[in-house]
Amino acid sequence: MTDARAQILGQIRAALRGVPEVALPPAEPLLEGTPYRAAIARSLVDRFIRTAEALGVQVRRTRSPELPTVLAEVLRACGAERVALSEDLKELADALREMGVEVGGPEVAPGAPVGITGAEFGVAETGTLVVRSGGGRRTASLLPPVRVAVLPEDRLLPDLDALFERVGRSPLPSAVTLITGPSRTADIEQTLTPGVHGPGKVYIVLLEDTPNRTPSDRPESLKGSP
């Protein structure tokens, strides 16, 4: 130890003699494992809802068993009795028909007032839905004037950087569509008009639980048919 350093430390020791010790407050327990992940998930859900609603999107939360009922409520709010349903949600068709809804596949999307599809991811930072091609998802999400997306909450990501990192893990389908709020088109005077080149109303139904799905539908993958 150098003389200068020893002198400085000696002065500090001398100054601390007789100073009463102050008890430190008890340390808060660290969030680990499941509680930590649950806290992060709640934060993502809250942020996604705030951002999406600021864009004019209407967001509902439910669990898988109540999903057909919630979808029927959304359709009644829209005054719609017919829907175009993408193939990834075809298991909902019978339940919706029992509630008096006329259900068709993606092929009826050009004339259907509402399109209902799943979504691959949601981006909390921008309120964006990520929809991969295949199964009529693009057709049913872009052609009807009202678009309803069903998204499990475990597919929410914090920002676009996280999305691009996730997308880079697997081969891409022919198209990945990012949908942020209702369609808005501006004329030469920058007057925004909703619904000119896409759905003018967007609803998102978040699933609080994780429905059964095939390995190719897991969050790690964007792989899909063209």
Side-chain angles (χ1 to χ4, degrees):
M1 183 182 300
T2 64
D3 293 341
R5 184 180 180 187
Q7 181 180 0
I8 293 172
L9 292 177
Q11 291 173 347
I12 293 174
R13 294 190 189 96
L16 291 176
R17 291 192 185 102
V19 175
E21 293 185 2
V22 178
L24 295 176
E28 294 291 332
L30 293 176
L31 288 174
E32 297 180 357
T34 300
Y36 176 76
R37 289 192 294 270
I40 293 297
R42 285 194 300 272
S43 175
L44 281 178
V45 170
D46 292 343
R47 188 179 183 191
F48 181 83
I49 292 174
R50 287 197 307 270
T51 307
E53 290 182 340
L55 295 167
V57 176
Q58 297 191 44
V59 184
R60 300 281 299 273
R61 294 182 72 193
T62 188
R63 299 182 67 82
S64 296
E66 289 77 41
L67 177 57
T69 301
V70 171
L71 292 176
E73 292 173 355
V74 170
L75 295 176
R76 285 194 291 271
C78 298
E81 298 180 350
R82 294 183 296 115
V83 301
L85 193 66
S86 63
E87 293 178 7
D88 55 330
L89 298 179
K90 61 184 179 181
E91 69 276 5
L92 299 173
D94 289 343
L96 290 174
R97 291 189 180 105
E98 290 175 0
M99 297 178 184
V101 179
E102 182 182 340
V103 180
E107 70 280 355
V108 306
V114 176
I116 303 177
T117 78
E120 191 70 17
F121 298 109
V123 181
E125 181 182 49
T126 57
T128 298
L129 291 168
V130 182
V131 179
R132 59 185 171 93
S133 60
R137 280 177 288 267
R138 276 196 298 168
T139 302
S141 66
L142 297 177
L143 294 184
V146 178
R147 188 259 196 278
V148 181
V150 178
L151 177 67
E153 291 181 356
D154 69 348
R155 298 191 188 190
L156 291 175
L157 300 173
D159 50 36
L160 290 173
D161 287 339
L163 172 64
F164 296 145
E165 191 275 333
R166 184 70 64 89
V167 167
R169 295 181 184 177
S170 61
L172 293 175
S174 62
V176 177
T177 305
L178 274 63
I179 301 171
T180 306
S183 168
R184 291 180 174 87
T185 302
D187 60 16
I188 195 171
E189 296 180 350
Q190 299 301 304
T191 301
L192 288 176
T193 303
V196 176
H197 296 101
K201 291 184 179 180
V202 176
Y203 293 82
I204 298 175
V205 180
L206 294 175
L207 293 180
E208 299 176 29
D209 56 337
T210 302
N212 295 327
R213 53 176 113 104
T214 62
S216 63
D217 287 331
R218 290 173 185 163
E220 293 82 3
S221 174
L222 266 174
K223 188 177 180 180
S225 58

